Amino acid sequence: MRPIKKAVFPVAGLGTRFLPATKALPKEMLTVVDRPVIQLAVDEAREAGIEHFVFVTGRNKGVIEDHFDKQFELEATLRKRGKSAELDMLEQDLPGAGQASFTRQQEPLGLGHAVWCARELVGSEPFALLLPDMVMHARPGCLKQMIDVYNARGGGNVIAVEEVAWDQVNRYGVVAASDWKGNAFTIDAMVEKPPRQHAPSNLIISGRYILQPEIFAEIAKQEPGTGGEIQITDAMIRLMARQNFWGIKYQGTTYDCGDKIGFLSANVAFALERPDLGADFRAALKRILDSHGGL
Ligand code: G1P
């Protein structure tokens, strides 16, 4: 069983649901309080022991690469002003030298295709896949919980799932589960964005995966599926014929920050938990709600 040391972050999406904010700004740089959503995904990966971060970017995404680099003028100014807390924070967030790689998805051909673009950088090791739009609020982090399942089950592929209202299932990949042990289970089937009546459960694929490298060969064979795109779910369905897929109903909450309500909710939830903001923000929130007719 090989350890999971690399993580892939698909960040080529156009962010059309957040225009005009995302006209010039990559959607992954939108912030939850003061951390870009891509930084939150990298934080989660690091906590789980990931050592190499592979970003699949696109045009107009250069700022993401800059975000994971030093900012010389800013750091020099902070140093001159004695702002050591800010300097330490920037230092901590930075991947080590050579620990981040960037490659481009040249055309928007779907999530499966974006992952396939990372094949040379991942090589022949199992890897984690994190969709940064899905912000996970969990302790320990979602990927850490998944790696525990990976270790306990002796390898294979692992997918984090979350239970959602039945009227939401058509927006996500959905799994069929059996053989539960605690909050982990065997995945028997998967389907991408099924109509409610064809969904095998209301457990959705919530944007965190541990995949074996054989997935790349399956993606390469893939014809465009739902929405004319090359779906990672279709490639996983094929791989499932030969390899185990485990699911974990992880402990925590997912905020779909590709959606306005999810994004706003994440900001409220994370702000309420911040020791430096929580009390003041709670009071501010109460005032806002009171002046808008209460709840
Ligand atoms: C992708 C996956 C889907 C998953 C979702 C989570 O869909 O294809 O299975 O449930 O991410 O966000 P997308 O959001 O790219 O349409």
Side-chain angles (χ1 to χ4, degrees):
M1 194 182 76
R2 289 167 295 175
I4 313 297
K5 293 294 172 198
K6 291 185 180 171
V8 174
F9 303 85
V11 291
L14 293 175
T16 49
R17 284 190 282 173
F18 271 90
L19 286 168
T22 50
K23 187 176 169 196
L25 179 81
K27 64 176 173 154
E28 297 79 11
M29 292 302 294
L30 293 172
T31 59
V32 173
V33 190
D34 48 14
R35 292 182 87 68
V37 297
I38 185 63
Q39 180 75 58
L40 293 170
V42 165
D43 293 346
E44 183 187 327
R46 269 188 149 173
E47 182 203 347
I50 298 299
E51 292 173 0
H52 198 112
F53 308 88
V54 178
F55 300 88
V56 182
T57 75
R59 286 177 290 283
N60 300 328
K61 299 281 184 166
V63 175
I64 297 177
E65 198 162 340
D66 293 341
H67 179 75
F68 291 105
D69 193 2
K70 286 191 174 286
Q71 228 289 26
F72 183 77
E73 282 156 313
L74 173 66
E75 286 166 30
T77 307
L78 290 174
R79 204 163 291 119
K80 212 159 62 193
R81 294 185 185 164
K83 303 250 180 208
S84 55
E86 285 82 353
L87 272 169
D88 289 350
M89 181 184 66
L90 293 179
E91 186 63 36
Q92 263 172 33
D93 289 348
L94 207 59
Q99 289 190 317
S101 300
F102 298 84
T103 187
R104 282 194 179 195
Q105 184 187 27
Q106 293 154 329
E107 287 177 81
L109 297 177
L111 177 59
H113 180 262
V115 174
W116 188 71
C117 291
R119 70 196 180 284
E120 300 285 342
L121 292 166
V122 171
S124 56
E125 319 177 17
F127 62 100
L129 169 62
L130 296 93
L131 311 188
D133 275 358
M134 301 299 266
V135 168
M136 309 304 210
H137 197 240
R139 276 196 205 94
C142 180
L143 187 61
K144 174 105 181 37
Q145 295 182 38
M146 294 168 71
I147 286 183
D148 290 344
V149 171
Y150 177 81
N151 292 334
R153 300 275 180 153
N157 302 269
V158 185
I159 294 177
V161 305
E162 188 178 7
E163 198 166 354
V164 298
W166 279 92
D167 61 0
Q168 304 272 304
V169 290
N170 63 347
R171 297 169 50 187
Y172 299 98
V174 179
V175 305
S178 72
D179 189 22
W180 285 81
K181 287 197 180 71
N183 60 349
F185 57 88
T186 302
I187 296 179
D188 297 319
M190 289 178 222
V191 49
E192 182 67 11
K193 303 194 174 82
R196 179 187 174 140
Q197 64 275 20
H198 294 147
S201 75
N202 60 343
L203 296 172
I204 61 139
I205 298 174
S206 63
R208 298 290 183 274
Y209 312 73
I210 291 172
L211 295 169
Q212 295 296 321
E214 289 75 24
I215 194 73
F216 294 121
E218 298 302 334
I219 299 170
K221 290 183 214 153
Q222 201 63 50
E223 294 294 324
T226 310
E229 295 190 336
I230 296 177
Q231 302 287 344
I232 191 76
T233 307
D234 294 336
M236 292 193 299
I237 290 168
R238 295 154 75 113
L239 189 57
M240 216 164 52
R242 289 185 285 121
Q243 292 190 3
N244 290 320
F245 274 76
W246 316 115
I248 170 177
K249 195 172 159 197
Y250 82 102
Q251 308 288 313
T253 309
T254 307
Y255 296 98
D256 182 353
C257 288
D259 169 80
K260 290 189 183 74
I261 299 289
F263 175 71
L264 294 169
S265 306
N267 269 283
V268 172
F270 278 66
L272 285 172
E273 284 220 345
R274 280 270 293 258
D276 58 332
L277 300 174
D280 290 346
F281 181 60
R282 189 177 297 272
L285 198 58
K286 185 169 183 320
R287 280 196 300 277
I288 296 170
L289 286 171
D290 289 347
S291 66
H292 286 76
L295 270 181

mmCIF file with all atom_site columns, all heavy atoms in Angstrom, residues 17 111 131 134 171-174 192-193 204-207 209 229 231-233 256, ligand 1:
data_model
loop_
_atom_site.group_PDB
_atom_site.id
_atom_site.type_symbol
_atom_site.label_atom_id
_atom_site.label_alt_id
_atom_site.label_comp_id
_atom_site.label_asym_id
_atom_site.label_entity_id
_atom_site.label_seq_id
_atom_site.pdbx_PDB_ins_code
_atom_site.Cartn_x
_atom_site.Cartn_y
_atom_site.Cartn_z
_atom_site.occupancy
_atom_site.B_iso_or_equiv
_atom_site.pdbx_formal_charge
_atom_site.auth_seq_id
_atom_site.auth_comp_id
_atom_site.auth_asym_id
_atom_site.auth_atom_id
_atom_site.pdbx_PDB_model_num
ATOM   1   N N   . ARG A 1 17  ? -20.598 31.386 -12.535 1.00 0.00 ? 17  ARG A N   1
ATOM   2   C CA  . ARG A 1 17  ? -21.678 31.639 -11.566 1.00 0.00 ? 17  ARG A CA  1
ATOM   3   C C   . ARG A 1 17  ? -21.367 32.819 -10.645 1.00 0.00 ? 17  ARG A C   1
ATOM   4   O O   . ARG A 1 17  ? -22.188 33.211 -9.842  1.00 0.00 ? 17  ARG A O   1
ATOM   5   C CB  . ARG A 1 17  ? -21.944 30.376 -10.732 1.00 0.00 ? 17  ARG A CB  1
ATOM   6   C CG  . ARG A 1 17  ? -22.724 29.331 -11.531 1.00 0.00 ? 17  ARG A CG  1
ATOM   7   C CD  . ARG A 1 17  ? -23.204 28.199 -10.659 1.00 0.00 ? 17  ARG A CD  1
ATOM   8   N NE  . ARG A 1 17  ? -22.128 27.260 -10.364 1.00 0.00 ? 17  ARG A NE  1
ATOM   9   C CZ  . ARG A 1 17  ? -22.255 26.253 -9.510  1.00 0.00 ? 17  ARG A CZ  1
ATOM   10  N NH1 . ARG A 1 17  ? -23.389 26.067 -8.880  1.00 0.00 ? 17  ARG A NH1 1
ATOM   11  N NH2 . ARG A 1 17  ? -21.241 25.439 -9.289  1.00 0.00 ? 17  ARG A NH2 1
ATOM   12  N N   . LEU A 1 111 ? -13.954 17.801 -15.860 1.00 0.00 ? 111 LEU A N   1
ATOM   13  C CA  . LEU A 1 111 ? -13.126 17.499 -14.685 1.00 0.00 ? 111 LEU A CA  1
ATOM   14  C C   . LEU A 1 111 ? -12.197 16.308 -14.938 1.00 0.00 ? 111 LEU A C   1
ATOM   15  O O   . LEU A 1 111 ? -11.027 16.326 -14.544 1.00 0.00 ? 111 LEU A O   1
ATOM   16  C CB  . LEU A 1 111 ? -14.061 17.222 -13.490 1.00 0.00 ? 111 LEU A CB  1
ATOM   17  C CG  . LEU A 1 111 ? -13.399 16.818 -12.189 1.00 0.00 ? 111 LEU A CG  1
ATOM   18  C CD1 . LEU A 1 111 ? -12.421 17.897 -11.708 1.00 0.00 ? 111 LEU A CD1 1
ATOM   19  C CD2 . LEU A 1 111 ? -14.458 16.557 -11.113 1.00 0.00 ? 111 LEU A CD2 1
ATOM   20  N N   . LEU A 1 131 ? -11.382 19.213 -5.011  1.00 0.00 ? 131 LEU A N   1
ATOM   21  C CA  . LEU A 1 131 ? -12.055 20.253 -5.785  1.00 0.00 ? 131 LEU A CA  1
ATOM   22  C C   . LEU A 1 131 ? -12.213 21.459 -4.859  1.00 0.00 ? 131 LEU A C   1
ATOM   23  O O   . LEU A 1 131 ? -12.984 21.398 -3.891  1.00 0.00 ? 131 LEU A O   1
ATOM   24  C CB  . LEU A 1 131 ? -13.424 19.771 -6.274  1.00 0.00 ? 131 LEU A CB  1
ATOM   25  C CG  . LEU A 1 131 ? -13.457 18.398 -6.963  1.00 0.00 ? 131 LEU A CG  1
ATOM   26  C CD1 . LEU A 1 131 ? -14.838 18.141 -7.565  1.00 0.00 ? 131 LEU A CD1 1
ATOM   27  C CD2 . LEU A 1 131 ? -12.383 18.285 -8.033  1.00 0.00 ? 131 LEU A CD2 1
ATOM   28  N N   . MET A 1 134 ? -15.396 23.083 -3.196  1.00 0.00 ? 134 MET A N   1
ATOM   29  C CA  . MET A 1 134 ? -16.066 22.445 -2.074  1.00 0.00 ? 134 MET A CA  1
ATOM   30  C C   . MET A 1 134 ? -15.205 22.693 -0.834  1.00 0.00 ? 134 MET A C   1
ATOM   31  O O   . MET A 1 134 ? -14.132 22.104 -0.682  1.00 0.00 ? 134 MET A O   1
ATOM   32  C CB  . MET A 1 134 ? -16.250 20.949 -2.329  1.00 0.00 ? 134 MET A CB  1
ATOM   33  C CG  . MET A 1 134 ? -17.065 20.648 -3.566  1.00 0.00 ? 134 MET A CG  1
ATOM   34  S SD  . MET A 1 134 ? -18.751 21.310 -3.518  1.00 0.00 ? 134 MET A SD  1
ATOM   35  C CE  . MET A 1 134 ? -19.642 19.900 -2.899  1.00 0.00 ? 134 MET A CE  1
ATOM   36  N N   . ARG A 1 171 ? -27.521 17.551 -8.835  1.00 0.00 ? 171 ARG A N   1
ATOM   37  C CA  . ARG A 1 171 ? -26.410 18.508 -9.052  1.00 0.00 ? 171 ARG A CA  1
ATOM   38  C C   . ARG A 1 171 ? -25.045 17.874 -8.834  1.00 0.00 ? 171 ARG A C   1
ATOM   39  O O   . ARG A 1 171 ? -24.015 18.509 -9.010  1.00 0.00 ? 171 ARG A O   1
ATOM   40  C CB  . ARG A 1 171 ? -26.556 19.690 -8.081  1.00 0.00 ? 171 ARG A CB  1
ATOM   41  C CG  . ARG A 1 171 ? -27.820 20.481 -8.315  1.00 0.00 ? 171 ARG A CG  1
ATOM   42  C CD  . ARG A 1 171 ? -28.093 21.465 -7.213  1.00 0.00 ? 171 ARG A CD  1
ATOM   43  N NE  . ARG A 1 171 ? -26.933 22.296 -6.914  1.00 0.00 ? 171 ARG A NE  1
ATOM   44  C CZ  . ARG A 1 171 ? -26.873 23.147 -5.895  1.00 0.00 ? 171 ARG A CZ  1
ATOM   45  N NH1 . ARG A 1 171 ? -27.899 23.271 -5.087  1.00 0.00 ? 171 ARG A NH1 1
ATOM   46  N NH2 . ARG A 1 171 ? -25.801 23.871 -5.682  1.00 0.00 ? 171 ARG A NH2 1
ATOM   47  N N   . TYR A 1 172 ? -25.020 16.601 -8.420  1.00 0.00 ? 172 TYR A N   1
ATOM   48  C CA  . TYR A 1 172 ? -23.758 15.982 -7.992  1.00 0.00 ? 172 TYR A CA  1
ATOM   49  C C   . TYR A 1 172 ? -23.619 14.554 -8.511  1.00 0.00 ? 172 TYR A C   1
ATOM   50  O O   . TYR A 1 172 ? -24.565 13.974 -9.036  1.00 0.00 ? 172 TYR A O   1
ATOM   51  C CB  . TYR A 1 172 ? -23.713 15.941 -6.452  1.00 0.00 ? 172 TYR A CB  1
ATOM   52  C CG  . TYR A 1 172 ? -23.771 17.297 -5.807  1.00 0.00 ? 172 TYR A CG  1
ATOM   53  C CD1 . TYR A 1 172 ? -24.965 17.808 -5.305  1.00 0.00 ? 172 TYR A CD1 1
ATOM   54  C CD2 . TYR A 1 172 ? -22.622 18.086 -5.721  1.00 0.00 ? 172 TYR A CD2 1
ATOM   55  C CE1 . TYR A 1 172 ? -25.019 19.072 -4.725  1.00 0.00 ? 172 TYR A CE1 1
ATOM   56  C CE2 . TYR A 1 172 ? -22.667 19.343 -5.139  1.00 0.00 ? 172 TYR A CE2 1
ATOM   57  C CZ  . TYR A 1 172 ? -23.860 19.832 -4.642  1.00 0.00 ? 172 TYR A CZ  1
ATOM   58  O OH  . TYR A 1 172 ? -23.900 21.077 -4.078  1.00 0.00 ? 172 TYR A OH  1
ATOM   59  N N   . GLY A 1 173 ? -22.419 13.964 -8.291  1.00 0.00 ? 173 GLY A N   1
ATOM   60  C CA  . GLY A 1 173 ? -22.257 12.525 -8.445  1.00 0.00 ? 173 GLY A CA  1
ATOM   61  C C   . GLY A 1 173 ? -22.870 11.860 -7.216  1.00 0.00 ? 173 GLY A C   1
ATOM   62  O O   . GLY A 1 173 ? -22.807 12.414 -6.109  1.00 0.00 ? 173 GLY A O   1
ATOM   63  N N   . VAL A 1 174 ? -23.480 10.696 -7.404  1.00 0.00 ? 174 VAL A N   1
ATOM   64  C CA  . VAL A 1 174 ? -24.181 10.019 -6.305  1.00 0.00 ? 174 VAL A CA  1
ATOM   65  C C   . VAL A 1 174 ? -23.685 8.578  -6.233  1.00 0.00 ? 174 VAL A C   1
ATOM   66  O O   . VAL A 1 174 ? -23.402 7.961  -7.270  1.00 0.00 ? 174 VAL A O   1
ATOM   67  C CB  . VAL A 1 174 ? -25.715 10.047 -6.541  1.00 0.00 ? 174 VAL A CB  1
ATOM   68  C CG1 . VAL A 1 174 ? -26.460 9.323  -5.433  1.00 0.00 ? 174 VAL A CG1 1
ATOM   69  C CG2 . VAL A 1 174 ? -26.204 11.496 -6.648  1.00 0.00 ? 174 VAL A CG2 1
ATOM   70  N N   . GLU A 1 192 ? -23.398 10.001 -12.283 1.00 0.00 ? 192 GLU A N   1
ATOM   71  C CA  . GLU A 1 192 ? -23.158 11.446 -12.310 1.00 0.00 ? 192 GLU A CA  1
ATOM   72  C C   . GLU A 1 192 ? -24.459 12.193 -12.564 1.00 0.00 ? 192 GLU A C   1
ATOM   73  O O   . GLU A 1 192 ? -25.150 11.947 -13.547 1.00 0.00 ? 192 GLU A O   1
ATOM   74  C CB  . GLU A 1 192 ? -22.117 11.774 -13.392 1.00 0.00 ? 192 GLU A CB  1
ATOM   75  C CG  . GLU A 1 192 ? -21.724 13.239 -13.500 1.00 0.00 ? 192 GLU A CG  1
ATOM   76  C CD  . GLU A 1 192 ? -20.967 13.782 -12.291 1.00 0.00 ? 192 GLU A CD  1
ATOM   77  O OE1 . GLU A 1 192 ? -20.539 13.000 -11.424 1.00 0.00 ? 192 GLU A OE1 1
ATOM   78  O OE2 . GLU A 1 192 ? -20.810 15.015 -12.211 1.00 0.00 ? 192 GLU A OE2 1
ATOM   79  N N   . LYS A 1 193 ? -24.773 13.086 -11.672 1.00 0.00 ? 193 LYS A N   1
ATOM   80  C CA  . LYS A 1 193 ? -25.932 13.993 -11.779 1.00 0.00 ? 193 LYS A CA  1
ATOM   81  C C   . LYS A 1 193 ? -27.218 13.280 -12.253 1.00 0.00 ? 193 LYS A C   1
ATOM   82  O O   . LYS A 1 193 ? -27.795 13.635 -13.284 1.00 0.00 ? 193 LYS A O   1
ATOM   83  C CB  . LYS A 1 193 ? -25.580 15.170 -12.687 1.00 0.00 ? 193 LYS A CB  1
ATOM   84  C CG  . LYS A 1 193 ? -24.337 15.930 -12.197 1.00 0.00 ? 193 LYS A CG  1
ATOM   85  C CD  . LYS A 1 193 ? -24.135 17.266 -12.831 1.00 0.00 ? 193 LYS A CD  1
ATOM   86  C CE  . LYS A 1 193 ? -22.970 18.003 -12.198 1.00 0.00 ? 193 LYS A CE  1
ATOM   87  N NZ  . LYS A 1 193 ? -21.650 17.662 -12.677 1.00 0.00 ? 193 LYS A NZ  1
ATOM   88  N N   . ILE A 1 204 ? -23.877 12.190 -1.774  1.00 0.00 ? 204 ILE A N   1
ATOM   89  C CA  . ILE A 1 204 ? -23.230 12.791 -2.950  1.00 0.00 ? 204 ILE A CA  1
ATOM   90  C C   . ILE A 1 204 ? -21.710 12.754 -2.823  1.00 0.00 ? 204 ILE A C   1
ATOM   91  O O   . ILE A 1 204 ? -21.157 12.750 -1.730  1.00 0.00 ? 204 ILE A O   1
ATOM   92  C CB  . ILE A 1 204 ? -23.688 14.240 -3.180  1.00 0.00 ? 204 ILE A CB  1
ATOM   93  C CG1 . ILE A 1 204 ? -23.331 15.127 -1.980  1.00 0.00 ? 204 ILE A CG1 1
ATOM   94  C CG2 . ILE A 1 204 ? -25.184 14.285 -3.501  1.00 0.00 ? 204 ILE A CG2 1
ATOM   95  C CD1 . ILE A 1 204 ? -22.818 16.469 -2.357  1.00 0.00 ? 204 ILE A CD1 1
ATOM   96  N N   . ILE A 1 205 ? -21.071 12.710 -3.976  1.00 0.00 ? 205 ILE A N   1
ATOM   97  C CA  . ILE A 1 205 ? -19.607 12.791 -4.052  1.00 0.00 ? 205 ILE A CA  1
ATOM   98  C C   . ILE A 1 205 ? -19.250 14.244 -3.774  1.00 0.00 ? 205 ILE A C   1
ATOM   99  O O   . ILE A 1 205 ? -19.629 15.143 -4.521  1.00 0.00 ? 205 ILE A O   1
ATOM   100 C CB  . ILE A 1 205 ? -19.136 12.359 -5.457  1.00 0.00 ? 205 ILE A CB  1
ATOM   101 C CG1 . ILE A 1 205 ? -19.544 10.904 -5.719  1.00 0.00 ? 205 ILE A CG1 1
ATOM   102 C CG2 . ILE A 1 205 ? -17.643 12.582 -5.616  1.00 0.00 ? 205 ILE A CG2 1
ATOM   103 C CD1 . ILE A 1 205 ? -19.244 10.413 -7.134  1.00 0.00 ? 205 ILE A CD1 1
ATOM   104 N N   . SER A 1 206 ? -18.545 14.463 -2.653  1.00 0.00 ? 206 SER A N   1
ATOM   105 C CA  . SER A 1 206 ? -18.458 15.841 -2.186  1.00 0.00 ? 206 SER A CA  1
ATOM   106 C C   . SER A 1 206 ? -17.158 16.547 -2.556  1.00 0.00 ? 206 SER A C   1
ATOM   107 O O   . SER A 1 206 ? -16.864 17.600 -2.010  1.00 0.00 ? 206 SER A O   1
ATOM   108 C CB  . SER A 1 206 ? -18.698 15.884 -0.680  1.00 0.00 ? 206 SER A CB  1
ATOM   109 O OG  . SER A 1 206 ? -17.698 15.162 -0.028  1.00 0.00 ? 206 SER A OG  1
ATOM   110 N N   . GLY A 1 207 ? -16.391 15.998 -3.487  1.00 0.00 ? 207 GLY A N   1
ATOM   111 C CA  . GLY A 1 207 ? -15.251 16.784 -3.997  1.00 0.00 ? 207 GLY A CA  1
ATOM   112 C C   . GLY A 1 207 ? -13.894 16.433 -3.417  1.00 0.00 ? 207 GLY A C   1
ATOM   113 O O   . GLY A 1 207 ? -12.932 17.186 -3.549  1.00 0.00 ? 207 GLY A O   1
ATOM   114 N N   . TYR A 1 209 ? -11.228 12.997 -3.261  1.00 0.00 ? 209 TYR A N   1
ATOM   115 C CA  . TYR A 1 209 ? -11.019 11.643 -3.761  1.00 0.00 ? 209 TYR A CA  1
ATOM   116 C C   . TYR A 1 209 ? -9.594  11.201 -3.436  1.00 0.00 ? 209 TYR A C   1
ATOM   117 O O   . TYR A 1 209 ? -8.675  12.020 -3.435  1.00 0.00 ? 209 TYR A O   1
ATOM   118 C CB  . TYR A 1 209 ? -11.127 11.593 -5.286  1.00 0.00 ? 209 TYR A CB  1
ATOM   119 C CG  . TYR A 1 209 ? -12.328 12.282 -5.921  1.00 0.00 ? 209 TYR A CG  1
ATOM   120 C CD1 . TYR A 1 209 ? -12.413 13.666 -5.979  1.00 0.00 ? 209 TYR A CD1 1
ATOM   121 C CD2 . TYR A 1 209 ? -13.335 11.534 -6.513  1.00 0.00 ? 209 TYR A CD2 1
ATOM   122 C CE1 . TYR A 1 209 ? -13.495 14.292 -6.596  1.00 0.00 ? 209 TYR A CE1 1
ATOM   123 C CE2 . TYR A 1 209 ? -14.422 12.162 -7.147  1.00 0.00 ? 209 TYR A CE2 1
ATOM   124 C CZ  . TYR A 1 209 ? -14.492 13.542 -7.177  1.00 0.00 ? 209 TYR A CZ  1
ATOM   125 O OH  . TYR A 1 209 ? -15.551 14.169 -7.781  1.00 0.00 ? 209 TYR A OH  1
ATOM   126 N N   . GLU A 1 229 ? -19.015 16.674 -21.327 1.00 0.00 ? 229 GLU A N   1
ATOM   127 C CA  . GLU A 1 229 ? -17.690 16.775 -20.720 1.00 0.00 ? 229 GLU A CA  1
ATOM   128 C C   . GLU A 1 229 ? -17.132 15.399 -20.389 1.00 0.00 ? 229 GLU A C   1
ATOM   129 O O   . GLU A 1 229 ? -17.881 14.434 -20.241 1.00 0.00 ? 229 GLU A O   1
ATOM   130 C CB  . GLU A 1 229 ? -17.788 17.584 -19.423 1.00 0.00 ? 229 GLU A CB  1
ATOM   131 C CG  . GLU A 1 229 ? -18.194 19.016 -19.660 1.00 0.00 ? 229 GLU A CG  1
ATOM   132 C CD  . GLU A 1 229 ? -18.052 19.853 -18.417 1.00 0.00 ? 229 GLU A CD  1
ATOM   133 O OE1 . GLU A 1 229 ? -18.085 19.269 -17.308 1.00 0.00 ? 229 GLU A OE1 1
ATOM   134 O OE2 . GLU A 1 229 ? -17.895 21.068 -18.547 1.00 0.00 ? 229 GLU A OE2 1
ATOM   135 N N   . GLN A 1 231 ? -16.082 13.169 -17.809 1.00 0.00 ? 231 GLN A N   1
ATOM   136 C CA  . GLN A 1 231 ? -16.383 13.145 -16.370 1.00 0.00 ? 231 GLN A CA  1
ATOM   137 C C   . GLN A 1 231 ? -15.434 12.206 -15.638 1.00 0.00 ? 231 GLN A C   1
ATOM   138 O O   . GLN A 1 231 ? -15.187 11.094 -16.104 1.00 0.00 ? 231 GLN A O   1
ATOM   139 C CB  . GLN A 1 231 ? -17.819 12.649 -16.147 1.00 0.00 ? 231 GLN A CB  1
ATOM   140 C CG  . GLN A 1 231 ? -18.893 13.457 -16.838 1.00 0.00 ? 231 GLN A CG  1
ATOM   141 C CD  . GLN A 1 231 ? -19.122 14.808 -16.182 1.00 0.00 ? 231 GLN A CD  1
ATOM   142 O OE1 . GLN A 1 231 ? -18.700 15.026 -15.044 1.00 0.00 ? 231 GLN A OE1 1
ATOM   143 N NE2 . GLN A 1 231 ? -19.764 15.695 -16.901 1.00 0.00 ? 231 GLN A NE2 1
ATOM   144 N N   . ILE A 1 232 ? -14.969 12.631 -14.478 1.00 0.00 ? 232 ILE A N   1
ATOM   145 C CA  . ILE A 1 232 ? -14.149 11.735 -13.646 1.00 0.00 ? 232 ILE A CA  1
ATOM   146 C C   . ILE A 1 232 ? -15.018 10.571 -13.148 1.00 0.00 ? 232 ILE A C   1
ATOM   147 O O   . ILE A 1 232 ? -14.543 9.440  -13.011 1.00 0.00 ? 232 ILE A O   1
ATOM   148 C CB  . ILE A 1 232 ? -13.493 12.505 -12.468 1.00 0.00 ? 232 ILE A CB  1
ATOM   149 C CG1 . ILE A 1 232 ? -12.440 11.657 -11.758 1.00 0.00 ? 232 ILE A CG1 1
ATOM   150 C CG2 . ILE A 1 232 ? -14.495 12.997 -11.456 1.00 0.00 ? 232 ILE A CG2 1
ATOM   151 C CD1 . ILE A 1 232 ? -11.164 11.515 -12.481 1.00 0.00 ? 232 ILE A CD1 1
ATOM   152 N N   . THR A 1 233 ? -16.298 10.836 -12.913 1.00 0.00 ? 233 THR A N   1
ATOM   153 C CA  . THR A 1 233 ? -17.174 9.780  -12.398 1.00 0.00 ? 233 THR A CA  1
ATOM   154 C C   . THR A 1 233 ? -17.242 8.609  -13.377 1.00 0.00 ? 233 THR A C   1
ATOM   155 O O   . THR A 1 233 ? -17.189 7.449  -12.961 1.00 0.00 ? 233 THR A O   1
ATOM   156 C CB  . THR A 1 233 ? -18.587 10.341 -12.113 1.00 0.00 ? 233 THR A CB  1
ATOM   157 O OG1 . THR A 1 233 ? -18.443 11.486 -11.283 1.00 0.00 ? 233 THR A OG1 1
ATOM   158 C CG2 . THR A 1 233 ? -19.469 9.318  -11.406 1.00 0.00 ? 233 THR A CG2 1
ATOM   159 N N   . ASP A 1 256 ? -20.551 24.352 -0.606  1.00 0.00 ? 256 ASP A N   1
ATOM   160 C CA  . ASP A 1 256 ? -20.305 24.404 -2.043  1.00 0.00 ? 256 ASP A CA  1
ATOM   161 C C   . ASP A 1 256 ? -20.110 25.867 -2.429  1.00 0.00 ? 256 ASP A C   1
ATOM   162 O O   . ASP A 1 256 ? -21.068 26.598 -2.680  1.00 0.00 ? 256 ASP A O   1
ATOM   163 C CB  . ASP A 1 256 ? -21.493 23.776 -2.790  1.00 0.00 ? 256 ASP A CB  1
ATOM   164 C CG  . ASP A 1 256 ? -21.272 23.749 -4.290  1.00 0.00 ? 256 ASP A CG  1
ATOM   165 O OD1 . ASP A 1 256 ? -20.273 24.334 -4.765  1.00 0.00 ? 256 ASP A OD1 1
ATOM   166 O OD2 . ASP A 1 256 ? -22.099 23.136 -4.995  1.00 0.00 ? 256 ASP A OD2 1
HETATM 167 C C1  . G1P B 2 .   ? -18.039 17.431 -9.916  1.00 0.00 ? 1   G1P B C1  1
HETATM 168 C C2  . G1P B 2 .   ? -18.191 15.919 -9.982  1.00 0.00 ? 1   G1P B C2  1
HETATM 169 C C3  . G1P B 2 .   ? -19.385 15.467 -9.149  1.00 0.00 ? 1   G1P B C3  1
HETATM 170 C C4  . G1P B 2 .   ? -19.239 15.972 -7.717  1.00 0.00 ? 1   G1P B C4  1
HETATM 171 C C5  . G1P B 2 .   ? -19.046 17.489 -7.735  1.00 0.00 ? 1   G1P B C5  1
HETATM 172 C C6  . G1P B 2 .   ? -18.733 18.021 -6.360  1.00 0.00 ? 1   G1P B C6  1
HETATM 173 O O1  . G1P B 2 .   ? -19.120 18.045 -10.580 1.00 0.00 ? 1   G1P B O1  1
HETATM 174 O O2  . G1P B 2 .   ? -18.340 15.545 -11.328 1.00 0.00 ? 1   G1P B O2  1
HETATM 175 O O3  . G1P B 2 .   ? -19.471 14.066 -9.147  1.00 0.00 ? 1   G1P B O3  1
HETATM 176 O O4  . G1P B 2 .   ? -20.365 15.620 -6.965  1.00 0.00 ? 1   G1P B O4  1
HETATM 177 O O5  . G1P B 2 .   ? -17.955 17.877 -8.594  1.00 0.00 ? 1   G1P B O5  1
HETATM 178 O O6  . G1P B 2 .   ? -18.643 19.412 -6.414  1.00 0.00 ? 1   G1P B O6  1
HETATM 179 P P1  . G1P B 2 .   ? -19.055 19.582 -11.047 1.00 0.00 ? 1   G1P B P1  1
HETATM 180 O O7  . G1P B 2 .   ? -19.303 20.398 -9.817  1.00 0.00 ? 1   G1P B O7  1
HETATM 181 O O8  . G1P B 2 .   ? -17.697 19.805 -11.621 1.00 0.00 ? 1   G1P B O8  1
HETATM 182 O O9  . G1P B 2 .   ? -20.152 19.743 -12.056 1.00 0.00 ? 1   G1P B O9  1
#
